[in-house]
Short mmCIF file of all heavy atoms in Angstrom, two decimals:
data_model
loop_
_atom_site.label_atom_id
_atom_site.label_comp_id
_atom_site.label_asym_id
_atom_site.label_seq_id
_atom_site.Cartn_x
_atom_site.Cartn_y
_atom_site.Cartn_z
N CYS A 3 -88.61 -34.68 -58.18
CA CYS A 3 -88.99 -34.23 -56.84
C CYS A 3 -87.78 -34.04 -55.91
O CYS A 3 -87.85 -33.32 -54.92
CB CYS A 3 -89.94 -35.24 -56.18
SG CYS A 3 -91.59 -35.30 -56.95
N ALA A 4 -86.66 -34.69 -56.26
CA ALA A 4 -85.47 -34.64 -55.42
C ALA A 4 -84.47 -33.56 -55.86
O ALA A 4 -83.41 -33.45 -55.23
CB ALA A 4 -84.79 -36.01 -55.42
N ILE A 5 -84.79 -32.79 -56.89
CA ILE A 5 -83.85 -31.73 -57.32
C ILE A 5 -83.86 -30.64 -56.25
O ILE A 5 -84.91 -30.07 -55.92
CB ILE A 5 -84.28 -31.16 -58.68
CG1 ILE A 5 -84.15 -32.21 -59.78
CG2 ILE A 5 -83.38 -29.93 -59.03
CD1 ILE A 5 -84.66 -31.76 -61.12
N PRO A 6 -82.68 -30.33 -55.70
CA PRO A 6 -82.61 -29.31 -54.63
C PRO A 6 -83.19 -27.96 -55.10
O PRO A 6 -82.91 -27.50 -56.19
CB PRO A 6 -81.11 -29.17 -54.37
CG PRO A 6 -80.53 -30.50 -54.80
CD PRO A 6 -81.37 -30.92 -55.97
N GLY A 7 -84.01 -27.38 -54.26
CA GLY A 7 -84.60 -26.08 -54.52
C GLY A 7 -85.85 -26.11 -55.40
O GLY A 7 -86.42 -25.07 -55.66
N MET A 8 -86.21 -27.27 -55.88
CA MET A 8 -87.38 -27.38 -56.79
C MET A 8 -88.39 -28.34 -56.18
O MET A 8 -88.04 -29.26 -55.45
CB MET A 8 -86.95 -27.89 -58.16
CG MET A 8 -85.92 -27.03 -58.89
SD MET A 8 -86.44 -25.34 -59.24
CE MET A 8 -87.69 -25.59 -60.47
N ARG A 9 -89.64 -28.11 -56.54
CA ARG A 9 -90.69 -29.08 -56.14
C ARG A 9 -91.64 -29.28 -57.31
O ARG A 9 -91.98 -28.31 -58.02
CB ARG A 9 -91.42 -28.66 -54.88
CG ARG A 9 -92.22 -27.42 -54.98
CD ARG A 9 -92.83 -27.03 -53.61
NE ARG A 9 -93.42 -25.71 -53.70
CZ ARG A 9 -94.69 -25.49 -54.04
NH1 ARG A 9 -95.51 -26.50 -54.34
NH2 ARG A 9 -95.16 -24.27 -54.13
N VAL A 10 -92.09 -30.50 -57.50
CA VAL A 10 -93.06 -30.80 -58.57
C VAL A 10 -94.43 -30.41 -58.05
O VAL A 10 -94.85 -30.87 -57.00
CB VAL A 10 -93.00 -32.31 -58.94
CG1 VAL A 10 -94.09 -32.65 -59.94
CG2 VAL A 10 -91.60 -32.64 -59.51
N VAL A 11 -95.13 -29.58 -58.83
CA VAL A 11 -96.47 -29.14 -58.42
C VAL A 11 -97.55 -29.74 -59.31
O VAL A 11 -98.71 -29.74 -58.92
CB VAL A 11 -96.60 -27.61 -58.34
CG1 VAL A 11 -95.71 -27.04 -57.26
CG2 VAL A 11 -96.29 -26.96 -59.66
N ALA A 12 -97.21 -30.24 -60.49
CA ALA A 12 -98.19 -30.87 -61.35
C ALA A 12 -97.48 -31.75 -62.37
O ALA A 12 -96.38 -31.44 -62.80
CB ALA A 12 -99.03 -29.82 -62.08
N VAL A 13 -98.16 -32.84 -62.74
CA VAL A 13 -97.67 -33.73 -63.77
C VAL A 13 -98.86 -34.03 -64.70
O VAL A 13 -99.96 -34.33 -64.23
CB VAL A 13 -97.12 -35.05 -63.19
CG1 VAL A 13 -96.61 -35.96 -64.30
CG2 VAL A 13 -96.01 -34.77 -62.17
N SER A 14 -98.62 -33.91 -66.00
CA SER A 14 -99.65 -34.16 -66.98
C SER A 14 -100.01 -35.65 -67.05
O SER A 14 -99.36 -36.50 -66.41
CB SER A 14 -99.17 -33.72 -68.37
OG SER A 14 -98.17 -34.61 -68.83
N SER A 15 -101.00 -35.93 -67.83
CA SER A 15 -101.28 -37.31 -68.22
C SER A 15 -100.09 -37.80 -69.05
O SER A 15 -99.26 -37.05 -69.52
CB SER A 15 -102.52 -37.37 -69.14
OG SER A 15 -103.64 -36.82 -68.50
N TRP A 16 -100.05 -39.12 -69.26
CA TRP A 16 -99.07 -39.71 -70.17
C TRP A 16 -99.69 -39.80 -71.56
O TRP A 16 -100.89 -40.08 -71.70
CB TRP A 16 -98.60 -41.07 -69.70
CG TRP A 16 -97.89 -41.01 -68.39
CD1 TRP A 16 -98.25 -41.63 -67.23
CD2 TRP A 16 -96.73 -40.27 -68.06
NE1 TRP A 16 -97.37 -41.32 -66.21
CE2 TRP A 16 -96.42 -40.48 -66.71
CE3 TRP A 16 -95.88 -39.42 -68.80
CZ2 TRP A 16 -95.31 -39.90 -66.07
CZ3 TRP A 16 -94.80 -38.83 -68.15
CH2 TRP A 16 -94.52 -39.06 -66.82
N TRP A 17 -98.90 -39.54 -72.56
CA TRP A 17 -99.33 -39.52 -73.94
C TRP A 17 -98.39 -40.42 -74.73
O TRP A 17 -97.22 -40.58 -74.40
CB TRP A 17 -99.25 -38.10 -74.51
CG TRP A 17 -100.17 -37.14 -73.82
CD1 TRP A 17 -100.05 -36.54 -72.61
CD2 TRP A 17 -101.40 -36.65 -74.35
NE1 TRP A 17 -101.11 -35.73 -72.35
CE2 TRP A 17 -101.96 -35.78 -73.41
CE3 TRP A 17 -102.07 -36.84 -75.57
CZ2 TRP A 17 -103.15 -35.10 -73.62
CZ3 TRP A 17 -103.25 -36.18 -75.78
CH2 TRP A 17 -103.80 -35.31 -74.82
N GLU A 18 -98.94 -41.03 -75.76
CA GLU A 18 -98.12 -41.83 -76.69
C GLU A 18 -98.03 -41.11 -78.01
O GLU A 18 -99.04 -40.62 -78.54
CB GLU A 18 -98.74 -43.22 -76.91
CG GLU A 18 -97.88 -44.11 -77.79
CD GLU A 18 -98.52 -45.47 -77.97
OE1 GLU A 18 -98.26 -46.37 -77.16
OE2 GLU A 18 -99.30 -45.62 -78.94
N SER A 19 -96.80 -40.99 -78.54
CA SER A 19 -96.61 -40.27 -79.79
C SER A 19 -95.59 -40.97 -80.67
O SER A 19 -94.75 -41.70 -80.20
CB SER A 19 -96.11 -38.85 -79.51
OG SER A 19 -94.83 -38.86 -78.95
N ALA A 20 -95.73 -40.70 -81.95
CA ALA A 20 -94.77 -41.24 -82.93
C ALA A 20 -93.48 -40.41 -82.85
O ALA A 20 -93.52 -39.23 -82.52
CB ALA A 20 -95.38 -41.11 -84.33
N PRO A 21 -92.36 -41.07 -83.15
CA PRO A 21 -91.09 -40.31 -83.14
C PRO A 21 -91.07 -39.21 -84.18
O PRO A 21 -91.69 -39.33 -85.24
CB PRO A 21 -90.04 -41.37 -83.49
CG PRO A 21 -90.72 -42.70 -83.27
CD PRO A 21 -92.17 -42.47 -83.47
N ILE A 22 -90.39 -38.11 -83.85
CA ILE A 22 -90.19 -37.00 -84.80
C ILE A 22 -88.67 -36.77 -84.81
O ILE A 22 -88.09 -36.51 -83.76
CB ILE A 22 -90.92 -35.73 -84.37
CG1 ILE A 22 -92.41 -35.95 -84.40
CG2 ILE A 22 -90.53 -34.54 -85.26
CD1 ILE A 22 -93.23 -34.75 -83.94
N PRO A 23 -88.03 -36.86 -85.96
CA PRO A 23 -88.62 -37.19 -87.27
C PRO A 23 -89.09 -38.65 -87.28
O PRO A 23 -88.61 -39.46 -86.50
CB PRO A 23 -87.49 -36.92 -88.26
CG PRO A 23 -86.23 -37.09 -87.45
CD PRO A 23 -86.59 -36.65 -86.05
N PRO A 24 -89.99 -38.98 -88.22
CA PRO A 24 -90.52 -40.36 -88.29
C PRO A 24 -89.41 -41.36 -88.45
O PRO A 24 -88.43 -41.15 -89.17
CB PRO A 24 -91.43 -40.35 -89.52
CG PRO A 24 -91.78 -38.90 -89.69
CD PRO A 24 -90.60 -38.11 -89.21
N ASP A 25 -89.54 -42.46 -87.74
CA ASP A 25 -88.58 -43.57 -87.80
C ASP A 25 -89.34 -44.88 -87.60
O ASP A 25 -89.67 -45.22 -86.49
CB ASP A 25 -87.50 -43.40 -86.73
CG ASP A 25 -86.46 -44.52 -86.74
OD1 ASP A 25 -86.58 -45.45 -87.53
OD2 ASP A 25 -85.55 -44.44 -85.90
N PRO A 26 -89.62 -45.59 -88.69
CA PRO A 26 -90.41 -46.83 -88.57
C PRO A 26 -89.76 -47.89 -87.69
O PRO A 26 -90.44 -48.77 -87.16
CB PRO A 26 -90.53 -47.34 -90.00
CG PRO A 26 -89.89 -46.35 -90.89
CD PRO A 26 -89.24 -45.30 -90.06
N ALA A 27 -88.46 -47.80 -87.45
CA ALA A 27 -87.78 -48.78 -86.63
C ALA A 27 -87.82 -48.39 -85.15
O ALA A 27 -87.38 -49.16 -84.29
CB ALA A 27 -86.32 -48.91 -87.09
N SER A 28 -88.32 -47.19 -84.84
CA SER A 28 -88.32 -46.70 -83.47
C SER A 28 -89.72 -46.89 -82.87
O SER A 28 -90.72 -46.53 -83.46
CB SER A 28 -87.94 -45.22 -83.49
OG SER A 28 -87.89 -44.74 -82.16
N PRO A 29 -89.79 -47.43 -81.65
CA PRO A 29 -91.08 -47.57 -80.99
C PRO A 29 -91.70 -46.22 -80.64
O PRO A 29 -91.00 -45.22 -80.58
CB PRO A 29 -90.80 -48.35 -79.69
CG PRO A 29 -89.35 -48.60 -79.67
CD PRO A 29 -88.69 -47.95 -80.84
N PRO A 30 -93.03 -46.17 -80.41
CA PRO A 30 -93.67 -44.91 -80.02
C PRO A 30 -93.09 -44.44 -78.66
O PRO A 30 -92.58 -45.23 -77.87
CB PRO A 30 -95.13 -45.26 -79.86
CG PRO A 30 -95.29 -46.65 -80.29
CD PRO A 30 -93.96 -47.27 -80.47
N PHE A 31 -93.18 -43.16 -78.45
CA PHE A 31 -92.73 -42.55 -77.20
C PHE A 31 -93.88 -42.43 -76.19
O PHE A 31 -95.02 -42.26 -76.57
CB PHE A 31 -92.20 -41.11 -77.45
CG PHE A 31 -90.79 -41.07 -77.85
CD1 PHE A 31 -90.42 -41.19 -79.21
CD2 PHE A 31 -89.76 -40.90 -76.93
CE1 PHE A 31 -89.11 -41.14 -79.60
CE2 PHE A 31 -88.45 -40.82 -77.31
CZ PHE A 31 -88.10 -40.97 -78.66
N VAL A 32 -93.52 -42.49 -74.93
CA VAL A 32 -94.41 -42.10 -73.84
C VAL A 32 -93.93 -40.69 -73.46
O VAL A 32 -92.72 -40.48 -73.27
CB VAL A 32 -94.31 -43.04 -72.63
CG1 VAL A 32 -95.07 -42.51 -71.43
CG2 VAL A 32 -94.76 -44.43 -73.01
N ASN A 33 -94.83 -39.73 -73.36
CA ASN A 33 -94.48 -38.35 -73.07
C ASN A 33 -95.38 -37.76 -72.00
O ASN A 33 -96.53 -38.15 -71.86
CB ASN A 33 -94.66 -37.46 -74.32
CG ASN A 33 -93.79 -37.93 -75.47
OD1 ASN A 33 -94.30 -38.52 -76.40
ND2 ASN A 33 -92.52 -37.67 -75.42
N GLY A 34 -94.84 -36.77 -71.32
CA GLY A 34 -95.59 -35.99 -70.34
C GLY A 34 -94.84 -34.72 -70.06
O GLY A 34 -93.71 -34.53 -70.57
N VAL A 35 -95.40 -33.86 -69.24
CA VAL A 35 -94.75 -32.63 -68.82
C VAL A 35 -94.97 -32.46 -67.34
O VAL A 35 -96.08 -32.68 -66.82
CB VAL A 35 -95.30 -31.41 -69.59
CG1 VAL A 35 -94.81 -30.10 -68.98
CG2 VAL A 35 -94.89 -31.47 -71.07
N ALA A 36 -93.92 -32.04 -66.65
CA ALA A 36 -94.02 -31.74 -65.21
C ALA A 36 -93.81 -30.24 -65.02
O ALA A 36 -92.97 -29.61 -65.70
CB ALA A 36 -92.93 -32.49 -64.43
N LEU A 37 -94.60 -29.67 -64.14
CA LEU A 37 -94.48 -28.27 -63.75
C LEU A 37 -93.80 -28.26 -62.37
O LEU A 37 -94.28 -28.88 -61.45
CB LEU A 37 -95.85 -27.62 -63.66
CG LEU A 37 -95.90 -26.21 -63.09
CD1 LEU A 37 -95.10 -25.22 -63.96
CD2 LEU A 37 -97.37 -25.75 -62.94
N LEU A 38 -92.68 -27.57 -62.30
CA LEU A 38 -91.92 -27.45 -61.05
C LEU A 38 -91.89 -25.98 -60.65
O LEU A 38 -91.91 -25.09 -61.47
CB LEU A 38 -90.48 -27.93 -61.24
CG LEU A 38 -90.24 -29.40 -61.44
CD1 LEU A 38 -90.61 -29.86 -62.82
CD2 LEU A 38 -88.77 -29.77 -61.19
N HIS A 39 -91.83 -25.75 -59.35
CA HIS A 39 -91.63 -24.41 -58.80
C HIS A 39 -90.41 -24.44 -57.93
O HIS A 39 -90.14 -25.45 -57.29
CB HIS A 39 -92.84 -23.97 -57.97
CG HIS A 39 -94.03 -23.58 -58.77
ND1 HIS A 39 -95.21 -23.23 -58.16
CD2 HIS A 39 -94.25 -23.45 -60.08
CE1 HIS A 39 -96.11 -22.95 -59.10
NE2 HIS A 39 -95.53 -23.06 -60.27
N GLY A 40 -89.68 -23.36 -57.91
CA GLY A 40 -88.52 -23.29 -57.05
C GLY A 40 -87.48 -22.30 -57.57
O GLY A 40 -87.78 -21.45 -58.40
#
């Protein structure tokens, strides 16, 4: 939201996913996507 010239207009839900490529020693990821305009 603080990036000059840009504004966040939407943020997705949070999702949990396995690492790609698979890594049994790596915890799952939290992921989302933000839509910015500017």
Side-chain angles (χ1 to χ4, degrees):
C3 292
I5 295 174
M8 300 300 290
R9 65 185 172 89
V10 174
V11 295
V13 180
S14 71
S15 302
W16 297 120
W17 295 76
E18 183 180 270
S19 66
I22 296 177
D25 179 358
S28 182
F31 275 87
V32 173
N33 301 104
V35 169
L37 173 63
L38 290 75
H39 285 175

